[in-house]
Amino acid sequence: MTKSILRYFIVILVVALLSSCVISGTLLSNSILDTTEHDMLYSLKLIDYALDYQQPLDGQIEKLNPLAYSDDTRISVIDLEGNVVADTAKDSISENHLNREEIQEALKSSEGYAQRKSETTGEDTLYVALYNHEDYIIRLAIPYHGITDYLGSLIPAFAVSSIISFLIAFILSRKLAVTISKPIIEISESLDHMSKDFRVDLKDYDYQEFNVIVDTIYNLSHRLRKSMRQVKLERIKIDEILKQMNEGFVLLDEDYQILSINEKAISILGDMKVHDRILDYLYFPDIIQALQNNITKQQVELKIDHNIYACYISRVDFGTTLLFVDITASKKAEKMRSEFFSNVSHELKTPMTSIRGYSDLLAQGVVQNESQKQVMLEKIQTEVDSMSRLINDILMLSRLESMDIEAEMMPIKMRSIVDEVLESYEVEIAKHDIHMEYSFEDMVYIGNHQQIYTLLNNIIGNAIKYNKDHGSVFVDIEAQGDGMKIVVKDTGIGIPLADQARVFERFYRVDKGRSKQRGGTGLGLAIVKHIVSHYKGTISLKSELNIGTTIEIVLPQQKRTES
């Protein structure tokens, strides 16, 4: 910048010096002309005084000519009609001079001046004429080239003065250029060494204009820090949101380089990081093909390990977004619903077929024996009861799964519910001589009476139904923290280890023949599991084949429903 300013000053200086020389030359030329004309007029007056117009003039002017002004002067005497009476240049000049500029001017104002090329000598000549108000006009002429006649003496003076002026101006200009550029250089260096948070160290300057720039930079620095804080805060928020997302999220630029990726997406796609080109690491052909298609919105399903993901690919202004949603649960739920309806159809088909068969026989009068009719009617009733229990269990399970239960939470005495359950199994207990043990202290639990009854009815009922003759069932309920723990233990047939993980599935039976014989629907433990889940509790099962089964349930305390 210093060089540019200095170059600019030098150009201005040269132009100024040239302009000054031209103006000075013009003024000096005019001054020399005025001085010469004045001196020549003074010489003419002396010549006029010295001339005797009664005597021959040629000889007189020849003598006076060397003394008039210079060696090159020319004296002419012209009468009032323009005729040259005497002239030091030629003996006889016939040309009339009346119309010459200096003659006309002298006739008008006694003095006349003119500058032109002489037709007599052929040189640039300065003419001065004097009218003596008698019969003659005296004219003095000298070769005159203006300031050029003095260049020999003027050029060295002009050159020396110009050089001195140029040097002084150059030194001052350089100093001024350095003074002007130094603050800019300092500001530039400060900006180059700006800290990461856009802080700069600047000082005050003598020039107010630079202080305005400094103030502007400070304001910009403050605004940048504020903007960066806001951007950083927004970035932290976005990163935290992406981090907490259960879905995998990837943001790509137009060249498919990763701009942002969360941990869930890394766990799905593999080890990738920001600035990686996703196509170099991706090994899912469906996603690669979808990325290469010029479609605004697409959806791709992927099976990765044991999970199923729906990948939603969307084109945005500056790139592409990928959102990976785990749909494993919904796919499993869809499969379970399909299996559920299939199992329901199967479970209903058998009793319906039996009822229809017996009813057809009775309707057609094939069976005449009254005792056989009674047996058939009892079997029809048994199948109807079985269907009723199945339908009730299906409805209960459906409501639990859909949370379509607005259960009223009230204090419940657990001992009375156990007594109520055992009362419904009195016949079964007596028939197989089951020994019941439940000597726990009574306690109060806040819950829904129907749900708790269903839970206990299913686990105690299973302990009774699948027990051995003369076996035992142990029931214990005790407080655990703010909630309660339920333990039901039997000495029954037990559950094989291979089946223990599936006993809570709907319609799953370990021994299908015995289960149907005991009136089981295959939904009891599934309902128990859903009730426990609804209460945010835990359930565990321990069983050994031909030794017995223990089920332990822990339910946290519920809040009482305000009426």
Side-chain angles (χ1 to χ4, degrees):
M1 182 177 178
T2 303
K3 292 182 179 179
S4 298
I5 295 174
L6 187 59
R7 189 162 49 245
Y8 181 72
F9 278 136
I10 290 173
V11 171
I12 294 175
L13 177 60
V14 170
V15 172
L17 286 174
L18 291 175
S19 301
S20 176
C21 289
V22 171
I23 294 170
S24 298
T26 303
L27 294 175
L28 185 59
S29 177
N30 292 334
S31 177
I32 292 172
L33 179 61
D34 291 341
T35 302
T36 302
E37 290 177 345
H38 180 269
D39 291 344
M40 290 174 67
L41 181 62
Y42 181 75
S43 297
L44 279 176
K45 289 180 178 181
L46 290 176
I47 292 170
D48 180 55
Y49 180 77
L51 287 176
D52 184 2
Y53 292 100
Q54 303 300 321
Q55 300 296 324
L57 296 175
D58 290 333
Q60 295 181 65
I61 62 175
E62 286 292 340
K63 292 179 180 180
L64 293 173
N65 190 39
L67 304 174
Y69 188 80
S70 67
D71 294 339
D72 297 325
T73 56
R74 173 188 170 193
I75 302 173
S76 302
V77 179
I78 303 167
D79 62 18
L80 297 179
E81 294 179 358
N83 299 314
V84 177
V85 176
D87 195 305
T88 58
K90 288 185 179 181
D91 295 338
S92 178
I93 298 176
S94 60
E95 185 179 356
N96 191 283
H97 285 52
L98 185 62
N99 293 325
R100 300 294 169 89
E101 180 182 352
E102 67 277 8
I103 302 302
Q104 290 291 323
E105 189 175 348
L107 291 172
K108 293 179 181 178
S109 58
S110 299
E111 300 172 5
Y113 305 93
Q115 187 177 350
R116 63 179 177 274
K117 182 176 285 189
S118 173
E119 295 178 359
T120 304
T121 62
E123 292 183 307
D124 290 333
T125 306
L126 176 63
Y127 298 95
V128 178
L130 176 65
Y131 177 37
N132 59 9
H133 298 285
E134 293 184 1
D135 296 327
Y136 299 98
I137 297 171
I138 306 171
R139 186 182 71 175
L140 184 62
I142 62 171
Y144 184 79
H145 300 92
I147 197 171
T148 56
D149 293 334
Y150 302 92
L151 287 179
S153 59
L154 290 176
I155 286 177
F158 273 122
V160 171
S161 62
S162 296
I163 291 172
I164 294 173
S165 300
F166 181 83
L167 290 175
I168 294 172
F170 178 80
I171 294 170
L172 294 177
S173 298
R174 182 177 178 80
K175 184 176 180 181
L176 179 61
V178 171
T179 304
I180 293 174
S181 60
K182 184 179 179 181
I184 297 176
I185 294 172
E186 291 178 351
I187 292 171
S188 177
E189 290 177 349
S190 298
L191 292 176
D192 287 338
H193 294 87
M194 182 184 293
S195 63
K196 292 182 179 180
D197 60 347
F198 301 103
R199 294 185 184 276
V200 290
D201 185 15
L202 298 172
K203 63 182 182 180
D204 292 334
Y205 295 98
D206 296 333
Y207 299 101
Q208 184 60 32
E209 291 77 6
F210 288 117
N211 291 327
V212 172
I213 295 174
V214 169
D215 293 339
T216 303
I217 291 174
Y218 276 130
N219 291 333
L220 287 174
S221 173
H222 176 71
R223 289 166 60 185
L224 280 173
R225 288 197 302 274
K226 185 177 180 181
S227 298
M228 287 301 297
R229 283 196 298 268
Q230 292 176 347
V231 170
K232 188 176 181 180
L233 181 61
E234 293 300 322
R235 180 69 182 179
I236 291 172
K237 289 180 181 178
I238 293 173
D239 290 343
E240 190 63 27
I241 291 171
L242 293 177
K243 185 178 179 180
Q244 298 298 327
M245 283 176 61
N246 294 323
E247 297 79 15
F249 178 80
V250 183
L251 176 62
L252 307 175
D253 65 9
E254 295 176 351
D255 296 325
Y256 301 112
Q257 285 190 343
I258 298 174
L259 298 177
S260 180
I261 183 170
N262 65 356
E263 294 179 0
K264 183 64 177 179
I266 293 174
S267 67
I268 295 171
L269 299 176
D271 188 14
M272 296 183 187
K273 57 185 181 297
V274 176
H275 304 310
D276 285 342
R277 193 169 185 269
I278 194 170
L279 294 178
D280 296 337
Y281 296 86
L282 206 59
Y283 52 89
F284 300 108
D286 292 341
I287 297 182
I288 294 174
Q289 183 178 357
L291 287 174
Q292 293 174 344
N293 292 336
N294 191 20
I295 301 175
T296 305
K297 292 186 179 180
Q298 301 177 75
Q299 179 180 347
V300 178
E301 282 193 10
L302 302 171
K303 187 173 182 181
I304 303 174
D305 296 332
H306 301 291
N307 295 329
I308 302 172
Y309 295 94
C311 177
Y312 299 94
I313 302 173
S314 300
R315 303 285 181 181
V316 293
D317 293 338
F318 51 86
T320 307
T321 61
L322 285 77
L323 184 67
F324 294 87
V325 180
D326 190 346
I327 58 173
T328 306
S330 62
K331 288 291 183 181
K332 287 183 178 179
E334 184 179 344
K335 183 179 178 181
M336 289 175 64
R337 281 194 297 270
S338 177
E339 292 176 352
F340 177 76
F341 288 118
S342 177
N343 291 330
V344 168
S345 300
H346 177 74
E347 294 292 334
L348 291 175
K349 185 177 180 180
T350 302
M352 287 294 292
T353 302
S354 178
I355 291 171
R356 181 165 184 167
Y358 288 129
S359 62
D360 286 344
L361 290 175
L362 292 173
Q364 294 173 6
V366 175
V367 179
Q368 299 295 327
N369 190 300
E370 292 296 328
S371 60
Q372 289 181 343
K373 289 182 179 180
Q374 186 62 34
V375 171
M376 290 183 179
L377 290 172
E378 289 177 357
K379 288 184 177 182
I380 290 173
Q381 184 64 42
T382 300
E383 296 295 345
V384 170
D385 292 341
S386 176
M387 287 177 61
S388 178
R389 287 195 300 272
L390 177 61
I391 291 171
N392 288 334
D393 285 347
I394 290 172
L395 290 174
M396 172 65 77
L397 188 61
S398 176
R399 289 176 180 175
L400 287 170
E401 285 183 342
S402 63
M403 297 297 180
D404 189 24
I405 300 178
E406 293 184 2
E408 183 181 9
M409 300 294 178
M410 299 294 290
I412 303 170
K413 290 186 177 182
M414 296 306 299
R415 183 63 178 264
S416 62
I417 289 188
V418 172
D419 290 339
E420 188 177 349
V421 170
L422 294 178
E423 185 178 348
S424 64
Y425 285 100
E426 282 183 354
V427 175
E428 193 79 14
I429 293 171
K431 181 178 180 181
H432 298 283
D433 191 23
I434 303 298
H435 176 65
M436 299 299 303
E437 295 183 19
Y438 59 105
S439 58
F440 60 87
E441 294 183 2
D442 196 8
M443 65 166 293
V444 175
Y445 177 76
I446 296 176
N448 179 260
H449 183 276
Q450 180 61 38
Q451 292 173 356
I452 299 299
Y453 174 81
T454 301
L455 183 147
L456 290 173
N457 182 67
N458 281 312
I459 58 175
I460 294 174
N462 284 345
I464 295 171
K465 291 176 186 177
Y466 301 106
N467 212 323
K468 301 173 183 177
D469 291 344
H470 314 297
S472 299
V473 175
F474 173 79
V475 179
D476 181 50
I477 300 176
E478 62 181 16
Q480 180 164 322
D482 292 337
M484 70 173 175
K485 181 172 73 171
I486 302 171
V487 179
V488 177
K489 182 178 180 181
D490 64 62
T491 58
I493 60 176
I495 302 171
L497 184 61
D499 296 318
Q500 290 180 15
R502 300 190 61 190
V503 293
F504 293 101
E505 295 180 9
R506 290 169 292 189
F507 297 109
Y508 185 82
R509 299 183 179 92
V510 177
D511 185 348
K512 295 183 180 180
R514 182 168 183 178
S515 178
K516 286 190 174 182
Q517 183 182 357
R518 296 295 178 96
T521 63
L523 296 174
L525 289 180
I527 292 173
V528 170
K529 180 182 176 181
H530 278 78
I531 293 174
V532 172
S533 177
H534 182 67
Y535 278 69
K536 295 180 174 56
T538 60
I539 182 170
S540 60
L541 179 145
K542 295 180 182 178
S543 182
E544 294 185 33
L545 200 61
N546 296 320
I547 293 179
T549 302
T550 301
I551 292 179
E552 183 177 302
I553 297 172
V554 177
L555 298 179
Q557 189 63 271
Q558 306 298 306
K559 292 183 179 180
R560 180 171 179 173
T561 305
E562 297 294 337
S563 58

